Amino acid sequence: MPKTRRHIDEANACDIPVAFLLDNGARLIVEHHDFLARGGRARILVGDYMDVTEPMALRRLADLDGDLTFRVFEAAAQGFHLKTYIFLYLTVLGRHIANL
């Protein structure tokens, strides 16, 4: 997780689609709420894969202020098992995308 923390601290935007979200993962995002305070944009898509997503994790995200969008994907009969972190950096030279 050290790389993920560094990217959150330095990126201008992040997209995080994951199969599920646990409370400890949500706490990591909350710990870096200054990312949103400095104008960062976060989009988070979590699934209901095997009912693993924890309601407390969703409540933590709902309490954050800033440019944050999060959605829950209801997988039903289809598979949904993503784990992707995409960070966007805007610089004088253009864009840099880091995908862990």
Side-chain angles (χ1 to χ4, degrees):
M1 283 300 194
K3 277 188 173 183
T4 303
R5 288 185 177 117
R6 186 186 55 147
H7 285 294
I8 290 173
D9 288 339
E10 297 173 2
N12 297 90
C14 67
D15 294 329
I16 304 174
V18 290
F20 54 86
L21 181 64
L22 302 178
D23 191 42
N24 63 346
R27 276 189 268 132
L28 172 66
I29 295 167
V30 171
E31 287 173 12
H32 294 274
H33 69 277
D34 57 326
F35 165 79
L36 296 170
R38 65 177 167 79
R41 185 200 78 223
R43 297 184 300 181
I44 301 170
L45 174 65
V46 300
D48 62 354
Y49 178 75
M50 297 180 65
D51 292 325
V52 176
T53 293
E54 296 177 342
M56 187 60 200
L58 299 177
R59 282 193 287 275
R60 282 189 198 281
L61 294 184
D63 289 342
L64 290 175
D65 292 324
D67 191 0
L68 170 69
T69 303
F70 75 95
R71 306 249 190 270
V72 177
F73 178 77
E74 295 181 48
Q78 51 190 322
F80 183 80
H81 198 270
L82 296 173
K83 183 176 181 183
T84 306
Y85 308 94
I86 302 169
F87 299 93
L88 177 66
Y89 299 83
L90 299 176
T91 66
V92 174
L93 301 174
R95 294 180 179 199
H96 171 72
I97 298 174
N99 187 357
L100 300 178

